[in-house]
Amino acid sequence: MKLLIVGNGGREHALAWVCAASASVTEVLVAPGNAGTAAEPRVRNAPVGASDIPGLIALARAEQIDLTIIGPEGPLVAGIVDEFRSAGLRCFGPDRAAARLEGSKAYTKEFLRRHGIPTAAYRSFTRADFDAAWLRAQRAPIVIKASGLAAGKGVVIAADAGEALATVQAMFAGQFGSAGDTVVVEEFLAGEEASYIVMADGAHALPFASSQDHKRIGDGDTGANTGGMGAYSPAAVVDGAVHERVMREVIGPTLRGLASDGTPYTGFLYAGLMIDASGAPRVIEYNCRFGDPEAQAVLARLRSDLPSLCMAALEGRLAGQRIEWDERAALGVVLAAAGYPGASTPGARISGLERAAALPGKIFHAGTERRGDAVLTSGGRVLCAVGLGAGVAQAQRAAYDLVSCVDFPGAQFRHDIGYRAIARER
Ligand code: AMP
Ligand code: GLY
């Protein structure tokens, strides 16, 4: 089988890496990929951008691709799966209608409410119907979200009504482009977050291992929200009882609700959950794809054959499929460029990758490109160093051993990835 992975981040490097290891796979193309995917055995980059849907269809045809797996949300929300399907090509991911679960937070909140799926109380507004008096009357902290896609940066937790008002006004004024034309205001949820990712075939869900992301840029969960600065798997907060509740109260009703609305969901479905002290899950957000950096930690533990599972999902055969995991914990630390999550300047030279390759674990690339003999930074999140260990503390040690090998000017990373789980282990 010949595969195409669409995207150029750490998640796509991890997807290409696990797929290339499959006995049923002869070659994996990544469009456009990065310096890390280019260096993997049986993997080749193709210079087609992730949002160039006609170019990707032409590539899949020319290369006789058997299965395309979409990494990022952009092309999914734009309808890449519909277009591949119309062209008679197999493509793993939700179609445009199902991908609205990530593409519009206002739609998702209404969907969750209509189907009785637990989530924070909310109201959504456009500039035309915004109710400033209502907002001022809300209890702080107040959560403000741009409804559309904003690369994980369109959420502000306002400490008081003044900050909330200013945030809403900035979003209406175009801070996130059209993503902020509609703004969702919601209740602040207390608890511990977890990422719960399943594979769905339109009706059934196969749960993947749980994980926990670290969204803030700074140690101790301080500073700006990012796309994710590190993750580990499994997430201790998702114990057996919580897992049961998530499947029964969240994932099951979501897949049934989508099917009964006429928009059945096939692909990776990522529930961002808040788990309260009683173990009750609430949906913070849905993503229509695997998480990044969750994929790097979760897929490092995958023992089953991913391409076969994708094929089973596309053929509606997920019921009864099993999935196996390395018993060890995995933990990934993201190295980001100076300036991230704001704008960063590309072109910094990365050193120490060969030294890191001699250690156990794996460095996945994100914003990197090869220029002659050098590997240079080319994006905000640059690398993700993943270690494995008997527990999260050991996995953390292995990951930071890798981090200490590599460097580039201005590199920033968190020093405390996994701290909640490690406190529990103690
Ligand atoms: P989102 O992009 O919706 O996942 O939001 C980004 C981050 O903001 C989440 O990972 C949470 O840490 C935080 N967040 C979002 N909504 C809420 C909420 N209702 N209560 C508390 N924290 C939230
Ligand atoms: N790590 C969060 C995300 O992928 O959205």
Side-chain angles (χ1 to χ4, degrees):
M1 212 167 34
K2 201 166 162 186
L3 263 56
L4 171 62
I5 310 286
V6 173
N8 64 353
R11 165 185 51 214
E12 288 75 24
H13 187 180
L15 286 167
W17 175 74
V18 293
C19 287
S22 164
S24 61
V25 169
T26 50
E27 192 180 22
V28 179
L29 269 69
V30 189
N34 56 40
T37 53
E40 290 294 339
R42 292 208 284 175
V43 180
R44 172 160 59 95
N45 285 353
V48 182
S51 54
D52 178 5
I53 297 177
L56 292 166
I57 287 175
L59 176 69
R61 283 209 173 111
E63 294 280 354
Q64 300 190 299
I65 296 294
D66 300 293
L67 169 66
T68 299
I69 301 175
I70 311 300
E73 62 276 15
L76 291 165
V77 171
I80 192 170
V81 170
D82 312 60
E83 297 199 33
F84 266 65
R85 208 180 285 152
S86 301
L89 295 164
R90 251 193 231 107
C91 187
F92 182 75
D95 62 14
R96 188 205 319 254
R100 276 170 74 204
L101 227 38
E102 175 161 7
S104 166
K105 289 185 192 288
Y107 155 80
T108 299
K109 294 297 290 191
E110 187 275 328
F111 170 87
L112 293 169
R113 177 153 68 189
R114 194 155 41 82
H115 291 285
I117 299 162
T119 190
Y122 81 105
R123 279 183 72 179
S124 70
F125 299 101
T126 61
R127 191 198 282 268
D129 63 14
F130 177 53
D131 184 347
W134 176 85
L135 182 64
R136 265 191 230 99
Q138 299 311 299
R139 201 170 58 167
I142 305 171
V143 182
I144 316 285
K145 303 184 175 185
S147 177
L149 292 183
K153 296 163 195 167
V155 175
V156 173
I157 303 193
D160 54 50
E163 188 189 350
L165 264 174
T167 301
V168 171
Q169 301 297 4
M171 286 183 183
F172 285 151
Q175 183 188 11
F176 297 106
S178 60
D181 289 351
T182 299
V183 166
V184 170
V185 179
E186 67 179 37
E187 160 201 19
F188 179 82
L189 299 174
E192 185 170 340
E193 276 183 68
S195 304
Y196 197 91
I197 294 158
V198 305
M199 179 181 271
D201 70 357
H204 307 99
L206 182 66
F208 274 49
S210 62
S211 53
Q212 190 172 58
D213 188 11
H214 299 62
K215 296 223 169 123
R216 304 295 197 97
I217 186 79
D219 288 353
D221 294 324
T222 53
N225 255 318
T226 70
M229 292 299 290
Y232 65 92
S233 169
V237 66
V238 185
D239 61 17
V242 171
H243 166 85
E244 276 264 319
R245 289 191 69 169
V246 173
M247 288 301 285
R248 194 175 62 240
E249 297 171 20
V250 175
I251 302 296
T254 296
L255 292 185
R256 284 195 298 276
L258 286 163
S260 69
D261 284 358
T263 57
Y265 194 102
T266 300
F268 293 118
L269 175 63
Y270 167 142
L273 301 174
M274 189 69 84
I275 315 290
D276 76 9
S278 75
R282 284 197 181 74
V283 176
I284 296 175
E285 63 164 347
Y286 268 123
N287 294 319
C288 64
R289 48 163 177 87
F290 222 108
D292 186 339
E294 288 91 332
Q296 294 88 309
V298 170
L299 296 178
R301 299 181 53 225
L302 181 64
R303 285 264 172 273
S304 302
D305 188 72
L306 187 67
S308 312
L309 290 172
C310 293
M311 293 296 283
L314 284 169
E315 291 163 7
R317 294 188 282 107
L318 271 192
Q321 294 281 341
R322 291 175 46 83
I323 187 162
E324 276 164 34
W325 302 100
D326 191 324
E327 287 296 319
R328 292 175 298 169
L331 183 142
V333 178
V334 169
L335 289 100
Y340 182 78
S344 54
T345 313
R349 193 188 179 105
I350 303 169
S351 61
L353 289 167
E354 302 75 14
R355 206 146 55 88
L359 294 185
K362 176 82 184 166
I363 294 201
F364 293 107
H365 290 225
T368 68
E369 68 178 336
R370 179 166 283 283
R371 200 68 77 63
D373 282 343
V375 178
L376 306 181
T377 65
S378 66
R381 290 189 291 179
V382 176
L383 301 169
C384 179
V386 176
L388 289 148
V392 177
Q394 275 193 31
Q396 187 197 54
R397 223 167 294 131
Y400 282 104
D401 283 348
L402 288 170
V403 170
S404 69
C405 291
V406 291
D407 197 21
F408 51 89
Q412 31 169 0
F413 59 88
R414 281 181 60 162
H415 304 79
D416 63 347
I417 300 302
Y419 73 91
R420 285 196 186 83
I422 291 167
R424 272 207 180 84
E425 285 176 359
R426 288 204 190 103

